[in-house]
Amino acid sequence: MNKLLVSGLVVALLTPAAVLAQSAIDGTWKIDENKAQMPKKPDVYVLQNGMYQCKTCVPPFSVKADGEDHKVSGNPYFDTAAEKIVDDRTVEETLKKDGKVYETDKVTLAPDGKTGTVEFTSNTSGAPVTGQVTIMRVAKGPAGSHATSGSWRTASIQSVSDSGLSRTYKTERDSLSMTDPAGDSYTAKMDGSDAPYKGDPGITSVSVKKMGANTIQETEKRDGKVINVTETTVAPDGKTAKIVVHDKLHGTTISFVANKQ
C-alpha cells in the first residue's frame, strides 16, 4: 500500500528550452497530502482460520497468521511476511527482505468496523518513510473471518514523513536527475530512452519524455515491464504541479498536488 504512496510521489516539468541553465523543475518539490486523490479500486484481504491472504497484492500471497516469518515469493520488496492478530480489531504485519525489515503495518479498525487507520514504516536505501492513512470499508469479508477482512479503499492520507513526500530535480542540457531522501535516484535523457533507476528494488529502469510545454512523462519499468506511468503538469506560475500516477500492476490511478519549496 505504502509503496503506492512512496514510489511516483513527484515528477517534474521542464521548460521547452533544455539548454537553459535552470528549468522550472529544478529544486525540491513536496506533496500536499491533503490534496491527494486516492485510487477507487479497493484492496482485498482475508484473515480466517489462522491464515492471511492478500488477494490484490502482485503477486497475491497467503501465509499463516501466527506472527512468525513465512516465505513469500515473487515480490521484489520482501521475501517473508509475518501476520499477527493483536485483537479482534487490530492486526500487525512485518515484511522482510533477506532478514531485514522492509515494512511494518498496523491496522486498527474503528469500533463500527467501517473505517480504520493504517500506521506504516517503510525502509528503503535512505531515510525511512513513515505515515498514517485512513481506510474505508467497501465490502465485508467472509462470514466468520477477522474484522479486518474484506475490501478496503484508502480514503485519505493523515500524515507522511518528508522522506516520502519530497523529491529534488536538476536539469542539465538534455538530461533530468532526481534524488529523494528515501534513497531513490536517476539521471535520464529526456528523449524517452531507458536509464538505470537506483535505490528502489522494484524499479530497474526509467524513461523521461517531454509531452509538451508544461507536461513531462516518467515511465518506470521492472525488468523491461512497465509498472508505473506518471504524468506531471506544472502550473503557469511554476509554484505547483499536478502529478497523476497510473499504477499498471494494480490497475489504479492516484493524483497529487506538489508545491515547489
Side-chain angles (χ1 to χ4, degrees):
M1 158 185 39
N2 55 305
K3 190 60 190 174
L4 289 177
L5 303 175
V6 176
S7 72
L9 283 180
V10 184
V11 184
L13 168 85
L14 295 172
T15 56
V19 296
L20 290 179
Q22 186 177 28
S23 75
I25 189 56
D26 284 358
T28 298
W29 294 78
K30 183 179 178 181
I31 290 289
D32 183 347
E33 60 262 55
N34 295 318
K35 296 181 180 179
Q37 296 184 10
M38 309 307 294
K40 301 299 183 183
K41 184 178 179 180
D43 293 312
V44 182
Y45 312 101
V46 176
L47 180 51
Q48 188 175 30
N49 299 327
M51 295 294 295
Y52 170 84
Q53 300 178 67
C54 181
K55 292 182 171 291
T56 48
C57 288
V58 181
F61 70 89
S62 176
V63 296
K64 290 183 179 180
D66 57 5
E68 300 295 323
D69 292 339
H70 295 283
K71 289 289 185 180
V72 175
S73 62
N75 196 298
Y77 296 102
F78 56 92
D79 54 22
T80 65
E83 310 293 335
K84 179 182 178 181
I85 300 174
V86 178
D87 56 40
D88 59 356
R89 292 190 293 111
T90 309
V91 173
E92 294 179 345
E93 177 181 64
T94 301
L95 306 175
K96 296 179 181 179
K97 178 74 170 182
D98 297 328
K100 180 181 178 181
V101 175
Y102 161 68
E103 179 179 324
T104 60
D105 298 286
K106 181 179 181 180
V107 181
T108 305
L109 300 187
D112 62 6
K114 296 180 179 179
T115 61
T117 299
V118 180
E119 303 172 67
F120 67 86
T121 298
S122 178
N123 300 285
T124 55
S125 58
V129 178
T130 62
Q132 294 185 17
V133 299
T134 299
I135 56 175
M136 179 184 301
R137 185 184 293 279
V138 176
K140 293 182 178 180
S145 63
H146 191 270
T148 56
S149 299
S151 299
W152 295 89
R153 184 173 70 84
T154 302
S156 62
I157 300 173
Q158 295 183 24
S159 64
V160 176
S161 60
D162 284 355
S163 53
L165 296 176
S166 301
R167 284 189 175 184
T168 299
Y169 290 88
K170 182 180 180 181
T171 57
E172 186 174 358
R173 295 185 180 277
D174 61 348
S175 296
L176 174 67
S177 296
M178 183 280 296
T179 59
D180 68 24
D184 302 330
S185 66
Y186 69 75
T187 297
K189 289 187 176 181
M190 294 175 287
D191 58 3
S193 60
D194 287 346
Y197 194 106
K198 300 177 182 179
D200 189 319
I203 304 173
T204 55
S205 65
V206 62
S207 63
V208 178
K209 190 175 181 180
K210 289 187 290 184
M211 305 300 291
N214 297 317
T215 301
I216 189 170
Q217 183 182 80
E218 176 193 45
T219 301
E220 297 172 347
K221 298 179 182 179
R222 181 186 303 161
D223 299 325
K225 181 180 179 180
V226 175
I227 56 174
N228 291 311
V229 177
T230 302
E231 298 166 353
T232 300
T233 301
V234 172
D237 63 7
K239 296 180 180 180
T240 63
K242 182 178 181 180
I243 305 103
V244 181
V245 182
H246 304 281
D247 183 340
K248 298 299 184 179
L249 285 182
H250 299 86
T252 60
T253 298
I254 184 172
S255 64
F256 304 96
V257 173
N259 299 312
K260 195 168 187 178
Q261 302 302 290

